[in-house]
Amino acid sequence: MSLVVDTIESGYDRAPILTGVSLRVDPGEMVAVVGSNGAGKSTLVRTISGLLAVRSGAITVDDVAITKLAPERRARRGVVMVPEGRKLFPQLTVGENIAMGRRAGRGRTSGEDPVDALLDTFTILRERWGQQASLLSGGEQQMVALVRAVAARPRYLLLDEPSLGLSPLKTLEVFQLIELVRERTGAGILLVEQMADQALAASDRAYVLEHGKVAMEGDAATLRASDEIRRAYLGVA
Amino acid sequence: MEPVIIGLVLGGLYALLAQSFVLTFITTRTLNFALGEFVALGAFATLAVASWGWLPDVGKVVVGVLVAGVVGAFVHRFLILPFTTQGEHDVRWLLSSVAVSFVLLDLITNVEGPSPQRSDTARVSGTVDLFGTGVSKQQLLLATLAVVISLLLILVTKRTPMGLVMRAVSQDPETASLMGVSPRRVGMGAYAAAMGLAGLAGVLYAATVGASPVMGEPLLVASIAVAIVGGLGSLWGPLLGGALYGVLSQFASYQWGTIWGETAGLLLVIAVLVWKPEGLLGRRTEVKL
Amino acid sequence: MFNWSSPRKPLLASIAAVALLSLTACGGSDDSDATGKADADGVITVKLGVVGPKTGPASLYYQYMDQTFETFSDDFEEKYGVRFEVIAEDDKASPEETARAVSTLINDEGVHAILGPPLSGNALQVAETIQRSKVPWLLAGPNADEIINYDQQPNWAFQTNFTNQQIMEVLGQRLFANDAKVGIVFSADGFGQSNVDHLKSWAKENGHEVTVEESIQPGAADANAIIQRMKSSGVESVFMGITQGADTATVTRAIAQAGFDPATIMTTGTILTNYKDLAEPEQWANIQIVDPRNFLEGGDKEVLDAVQEATGDAPAIPTNNISTYAMLDIYAQAVKEVGDANEKEAVRKAMEDIETVHIGETLTIDSPFAADDHRLYTDDLSTWFTYGFDKDFNLVLKGTAQECADKGC
Ligand SMILES: Nc1ncnc2c1ncn2[C@@H]1O[C@H](COP(=O)(O)OP(=O)(O)O)[C@@H](O)[C@H]1O
Ligand SMILES: [Mg+2]
């Protein structure tokens, strides 16, 4: 029972970007993917969510192949992504954005609604409920994007650079929210970040992506401590 | 007063067809240039069942709407969608929709012949007096329907889950797909609804001018004009556009002769394109991260 | 009685027929024996190029030629020993396609004569070419006078429909009777333009003026503005020079809607096609047409009845079914007299000098042509008929044009 990416190749029109990437996310686990700009991190999550076609290799969710499914069908199976740049529906309200998230989770609504718990903690979203999404601040938008994803009842959550463009304070808040999401939903989370230090600190395991390949993988704490990582990604000479 | 009344009523017919353009545009960013043939298709489908005595007129109209709608959905799935796969700048659908127009026109002409055929379904003959102006009841019916249907569409998109999905797809189809929504399905549904509308307009219009393969063609320019003036992105647009275009072109026709009518309408389009290219009620698409 | 009618074909049968047609159309044979000379049995087979809108919305204008061949080919062969091998080219009702079609027929097919195109605008387009190519040109459809330039002699074009100048000569007196204010609504095409030009020049020559001129686009959604302009200008006589009966219906609908009640509404035989089904009896109650043909009895009617009987369809364009018959009669006689369709100049001359034109069994017209007059009909009011319509759209003879001009009808 996990999300398994097995030696996939994918990319855009021309040469493939990802060449033979494999990884695994277990339920309830937080897995970081770090790597420099252009390494292929977004390409990876877009491929898992179905926005990009897999050229070879396979993706399975809890032992069921989803390699050929359209994005909407993957979402309905619980593979939910928060895209880079949040991608809220700009002219919908906060409430409507979250209602859209619920559509993917319609078939899987057992248990208590995790959205309520998040809204109770981050009450600002309740205040903004009727506001148009494009009028929110960057941090608020990221929160709405996360809550929208939670509304989709994710079994596996793919987060593409949730800290992008946020102040350190806001970044902290977003990471708190992500932790809460993991607690409340029990979903496996694949966290793509350029902020490698924070991402590694928050995660159980991690993969390092370089030029479309997995260069390193292992226990997040171990990687965070390794010299190589510190030099390449954590800005330590 | 006369040109205003007649213009408003005539604008209703254009508005109904402009609504078709708006529907497909907001959901799929494509326009079906075969719209005129769907007008004819609806009219002929209704004509084909006109002799079924057991079916009330409303049922016959529904047949016309359904046939046009179903064919519309198929056209989207097999002849529009495959030609939109290469991103925003992929405009091959433009050519394929024009091709659909030719093919449908030929098919309908081959089967039904070129001559207009009388259609009595949903025909209301006679005129009514509106503020001293004689208005054909049939045209008034069309105009009323255009208003009612536009209001219904607006209500549906604002108030229902289906409408929410439509608006989401309209703003960002890719992200909508991440919410478990199939933009292709929504596009197909929008095409079905839009072509159904065209079929409805066809049935009602045929009751006046007869059903013929080319009956929709002369309406095409005016309806595109109306859609552009009102704004292709707004469901209110066709009502405003239809009213403006209708009144202005009738006014010019009355004042200076009919050739000036159409010219005035098209000048209005140019003015709008220069001054507010997204249409009077359209929204400039903004990108915000 | 005027009740030629087409049965509505069941949809499936039509589809099957179309499929079958397209299959058989591919299997045409090339071994033509249209040598233009007499064969062993003394029959001359003529290679006749036919240009017209075989496909598309104007295809009725091809159909009337087709119907006439289908109905009368055998008759002409029997009567004159002339058989027509038709080489048809589709002009799609467009000027460009017409030019291409005519060039194909003359240069590639080497036809002995050309029938068509039926629409005035397209005929104008190719007039120079055909005149230069020295091929007998059989104009059984178009009404525009401008197609034939009599300054060029010998002239190869012959017209068996009435011309617009003629009909205006006939109508002018009627429309402008008692100094009435006259308005014309004309279709925005070659036919309509020719109509308005000739009405205006008639008016000018006779000291009148046309009060309102309005064009209508084919398929226009309404004609309210046109009629309102006529009404508010005090127009008392309306002439509709409109190609399609459907557009005529739009105009008469607007007349009814506006409560406009001019003393005289005149139009042409084009109203006989596609009008009735789209209009209501009260809209045609006051309309009259003039035409040099007698649709109600004699040879003209015989032609129309024969077409209905042979094809099972109503004559596609009744006036033109008759003019095509007349034209084929003229050409077949000329070929018979010359004995060889390849002798085009001799055939042309024989047409020009024709003594008697037959229409149906019983109608004859004597010596219609001269070097500077290739028109079958004249503008003599006493030879034209004025018709009205009863509530079932049957034609009702009101009298000759002369009688109606003198006494009103
Ligand atoms: N839409 C695209 N079309 C073509 N190439 C792209 C596209 N998006 C990204 N790329 C290329 O793919 C590579 C990986 O990009 P991406 O996955 O976005 O990297 P990251 O998310 O790790 O910064 C880069 O070289 C980038 O230029
Ligand atoms: Mg990225």
Side-chain angles (χ1 to χ4, degrees):
Chain A
M1 293 287 273
S2 30
L3 170 70
V4 178
V5 174
D6 184 10
T7 47
I8 55 165
E9 190 171 295
S10 92
Y12 305 89
D13 300 337
R14 294 166 161 270
I17 303 292
L18 302 181
T19 49
V21 172
S22 299
L23 58 78
R24 197 189 84 245
V25 182
D26 292 332
E29 187 188 31
M30 177 112 73
V31 176
V33 174
V34 295
S36 54
N37 203 0
K41 304 184 297 295
S42 294
T43 306
L44 174 64
V45 285
R46 289 171 67 82
T47 307
I48 298 173
S49 66
L51 296 178
L52 284 174
V54 174
R55 293 187 191 174
S56 70
I59 305 171
T60 55
V61 172
D62 302 345
D63 302 323
V64 180
I66 58 164
T67 321
K68 295 243 144 60
L69 293 188
E72 60 270 15
R73 303 195 49 198
R74 298 188 197 198
R76 278 181 244 145
R77 281 164 185 264
V79 179
V80 177
M81 163 176 159
V82 178
E84 193 173 66
R86 6 251 184 240
K87 295 289 166 63
L88 295 185
F89 300 106
Q91 281 145 30
L92 300 190
T93 63
V94 168
E96 287 171 333
N97 265 283
I98 292 169
M100 275 305 291
R102 288 193 195 281
R103 295 198 67 87
R106 278 193 301 182
R108 294 170 281 102
T109 51
S110 57
E112 66 163 326
D113 187 355
V115 172
D116 289 339
L118 299 183
L119 293 178
D120 289 343
T121 314
F122 295 87
T123 48
I124 181 79
L125 295 186
R126 280 239 167 86
E127 288 163 32
R128 297 268 188 264
W129 199 253
Q131 248 179 41
Q132 197 173 301
S134 62
L135 302 177
L136 302 184
S137 73
E140 288 166 345
Q141 288 197 12
Q142 188 61 60
M143 286 187 184
V144 176
L146 275 163
V147 174
R148 182 175 68 174
V150 168
R153 297 293 182 121
R155 289 197 283 174
Y156 299 96
L157 192 54
L158 317 170
L159 308 178
D160 194 353
E161 308 236 19
S163 73
L164 190 74
L166 300 186
S167 67
L169 201 67
K170 288 286 170 202
T171 305
L172 206 67
E173 234 176 46
V174 164
F175 271 89
Q176 279 172 4
L177 178 57
I178 293 171
E179 192 50 51
L180 189 62
V181 167
R182 165 152 75 155
E183 240 168 67
R184 290 291 168 163
T185 62
I189 298 180
L190 188 71
L191 173 64
V192 167
E193 262 300 341
Q194 274 196 75
M195 299 281 182
D197 196 30
Q198 265 151 312
L200 291 174
S203 301
D204 305 310
R205 291 190 301 112
Y207 295 83
V208 178
L209 210 56
E210 269 175 22
H211 304 302
K213 284 194 171 62
V214 174
M216 264 184 276
E217 60 177 288
D219 183 67
T222 317
L223 282 174
R224 191 168 175 230
S226 87
D227 283 351
E228 209 173 325
I229 297 288
R230 293 181 69 82
R231 229 177 295 118
Y233 299 106
L234 305 181
V236 180
Chain B
M1 200 60 195
E2 190 120 16
V4 175
I5 302 282
I6 299 279
L8 285 176
V9 171
L10 206 62
L13 170 63
Y14 301 142
L16 203 53
L17 293 174
Q19 204 61 271
S20 291
F21 282 119
V22 168
L23 268 177
T24 64
F25 187 78
I26 57 179
T27 48
T28 65
R29 292 288 179 275
T30 62
L31 302 173
N32 184 6
F33 289 104
L35 192 75
E37 284 66 40
F38 280 88
V39 169
L41 190 62
F44 277 116
T46 292
L47 201 58
V49 299
S51 57
W52 295 1
W54 54 269
L55 189 63
D57 262 22
V58 175
K60 292 171 188 164
V61 175
V62 168
V63 169
V65 172
L66 282 182
V67 168
V70 169
V71 175
F74 273 93
V75 162
H76 174 258
R77 176 64 189 79
F78 295 107
L79 297 163
I80 303 287
L81 188 63
F83 301 110
T84 58
T85 50
Q86 296 177 0
E88 257 173 78
H89 302 291
D90 187 359
V91 288
R92 290 170 301 158
W93 59 267
L94 236 157
L95 296 178
S96 63
S97 89
V98 171
V100 169
S101 156
F102 284 124
V103 170
L104 267 181
L105 182 63
D106 269 359
L107 275 177
I108 299 175
T109 309
N110 276 333
V111 174
E112 291 290 346
S115 303
Q117 299 177 31
R118 186 188 182 91
S119 174
D120 285 316
T121 306
R123 187 196 201 111
V124 278
S125 40
T127 57
V128 285
D129 187 88
L130 269 191
F131 306 103
T133 303
V135 174
S136 122
K137 285 184 188 163
Q138 191 79 31
Q139 284 182 345
L140 194 61
L141 173 65
L142 265 162
T144 313
L145 265 178
V147 174
V148 169
I149 287 176
S150 296
L151 294 179
L152 271 178
L153 278 172
I154 289 162
L155 211 66
V156 164
T157 46
K158 281 258 167 354
R159 295 283 160 80
T160 67
M162 195 171 80
L164 176 65
V165 167
M166 254 182 68
R167 282 184 292 149
V169 168
S170 140
Q171 291 170 32
D172 187 346
E174 188 174 278
T175 305
S177 76
L178 297 174
M179 313 283 115
V181 169
S182 164
R184 290 175 298 277
R185 284 262 176 85
V186 173
M188 236 166 113
Y191 260 75
M195 295 311 117
L197 271 189
L200 175 66
V203 174
L204 295 175
Y205 189 49
T208 309
V209 301
S212 80
V214 293
M215 63 183 287
E217 204 181 291
L219 307 176
L220 202 61
V221 172
S223 339
I224 293 180
V226 163
I228 291 176
V229 168
L232 274 167
S234 159
L235 291 167
W236 286 104
L239 290 183
L240 179 66
L244 280 180
Y245 183 95
V247 170
L248 185 68
S249 62
Q250 283 298 309
F251 186 78
S253 296
Y254 275 66
Q255 219 57 38
W256 304 300
T258 38
I259 33 170
W260 291 105
E262 204 165 316
T263 314
L266 296 177
L267 284 176
L268 173 67
V269 173
I270 293 171
V272 166
L273 282 177
V274 168
W275 173 59
K276 205 163 180 291
E278 67 277 18
L280 296 178
L281 298 178
R283 248 191 271 237
R284 221 176 279 259
T285 39
E286 45 201 319
V287 184
K288 197 169 173 190
L289 288 176
Chain C
M1 283 299 278
F2 184 82
N3 56 358
W4 304 288
S5 65
S6 302
R8 235 186 97 72
K9 290 176 196 149
L11 204 71
L12 264 177
S14 315
I15 295 175
V18 169
L20 221 94
L21 265 177
S22 50
L23 282 177
T24 50
C26 309
S29 67
D30 231 29
D31 46 303
S32 163
D33 34 58
T35 59
K37 297 187 173 69
D39 64 12
D41 304 328
V43 173
I44 301 174
T45 304
V46 171
K47 199 186 251 196
L48 182 63
V50 175
V51 187
K54 283 174 90 165
T55 59
S59 62
L60 277 179
Y61 281 85
Y62 178 82
Q63 207 187 335
Y64 78 79
M65 297 193 273
D66 217 27
Q67 288 177 332
T68 312
F69 281 113
E70 182 183 339
T71 311
F72 300 109
S73 287
D74 293 347
D75 294 0
F76 288 122
E77 187 173 336
E78 205 170 295
K79 244 159 97 182
Y80 304 120
V82 173
R83 181 186 296 149
F84 295 107
E85 182 184 303
V86 170
I87 316 246
E89 282 289 325
D90 190 354
D91 69 17
K92 302 195 169 105
S94 92
E96 298 76 25
E97 286 294 315
T98 303
R100 183 205 54 76
V102 164
S103 149
T104 305
L105 289 173
I106 294 175
N107 301 323
D108 303 347
E109 299 286 352
V111 296
H112 295 122
I114 289 182
L115 176 68
L119 299 174
S120 292
N122 297 335
L124 274 166
Q125 183 78 14
V126 291
E128 276 295 319
T129 313
I130 299 182
Q131 171 69 17
R132 243 185 293 118
S133 307
K134 301 184 167 37
V135 179
W137 190 15
L138 317 182
L139 288 166
N143 307 86
D145 301 76
E146 296 81 353
I147 301 165
I148 306 186
N149 176 2
Y150 290 104
D151 293 342
Q152 297 177 336
Q153 290 291 346
N155 200 294
W156 293 84
F158 294 86
Q159 234 166 341
T160 53
N161 210 342
F162 64 80
T163 71
N164 288 327
Q165 192 216 318
Q166 290 170 341
I167 197 175
M168 288 314 162
E169 197 62 44
V170 173
L171 274 175
Q173 286 188 40
R174 182 75 195 285
L175 290 168
F176 287 99
N178 307 322
D179 262 332
K181 283 189 173 177
V182 172
I184 176 173
V185 44
F186 58 100
S187 30
D189 59 19
F191 173 76
Q193 191 58 49
S194 176
N195 265 305
V196 76
D197 289 347
H198 287 287
L199 179 64
K200 278 160 76 179
S201 66
W202 188 93
K204 199 168 163 205
E205 275 164 32
N206 293 275
H208 294 287
E209 208 176 348
V210 177
T211 306
V212 176
E213 299 165 32
E214 287 289 332
S215 69
I216 180 167
Q217 295 290 334
D222 86 319
N224 293 318
I226 294 172
I227 297 309
Q228 285 300 341
R229 284 170 66 78
M230 293 213 180
K231 195 178 170 187
S232 57
S233 309
V235 164
E236 299 155 289
S237 289
V238 175
F239 176 66
M240 303 185 287
I242 300 175
T243 311
Q244 302 278 351
D247 296 326
T248 310
T250 302
V251 171
T252 59
R253 202 159 42 237
I255 290 177
Q257 187 176 326
F260 181 37
D261 192 18
T264 309
I265 309 178
M266 304 295 300
T267 185
T268 70
T270 55
I271 197 176
L272 300 179
T273 306
N274 289 345
Y275 174 81
K276 174 195 171 193
D277 283 347
L278 307 178
E280 305 292 340
E282 69 270 16
Q283 292 162 8
W284 65 63
N286 293 322
I287 297 177
Q288 292 182 10
I289 67 171
V290 290
D291 199 278
R293 284 152 288 220
N294 188 339
F295 299 112
L296 300 181
E297 58 181 41
D300 294 318
K301 180 169 190 296
E302 287 157 22
V303 169
L304 298 178
D305 288 345
V307 167
Q308 168 86 55
E309 189 169 330
T311 65
D313 280 327
I317 313 277
T319 52
N320 294 14
N321 285 89
I322 295 170
S323 43
T324 304
Y325 182 99
M327 184 59 91
L328 294 178
D329 183 83
I330 294 166
Y331 181 69
Q333 281 192 61
V335 169
K336 181 192 177 194
E337 190 180 315
V338 174
D340 184 350
N342 298 291
E343 301 283 336
K344 296 197 188 84
E345 169 54 30
V347 171
R348 189 204 70 81
K349 189 79 177 78
M351 290 176 76
E352 201 167 88
D353 295 340
I354 193 137
E355 276 167 19
T356 306
V357 181
H358 304 267
I359 296 174
E361 299 290 324
T362 54
L363 179 63
T364 57
I365 299 175
D366 290 331
S367 306
F369 297 142
D372 61 353
D373 177 14
H374 282 194
R375 298 171 299 186
L376 179 63
Y377 297 108
T378 70
D379 56 16
D380 176 356
L381 270 69
S382 63
T383 64
W384 284 60
F385 301 92
T386 306
Y387 303 93
F389 299 93
D390 70 9
K391 65 177 189 336
D392 299 317
F393 205 66
N394 294 312
L395 284 168
V396 178
L397 188 62
K398 298 276 184 184
T400 66
Q402 190 68 60
E403 287 162 357
C404 288
D406 292 345
K407 305 191 298 265
C409 274

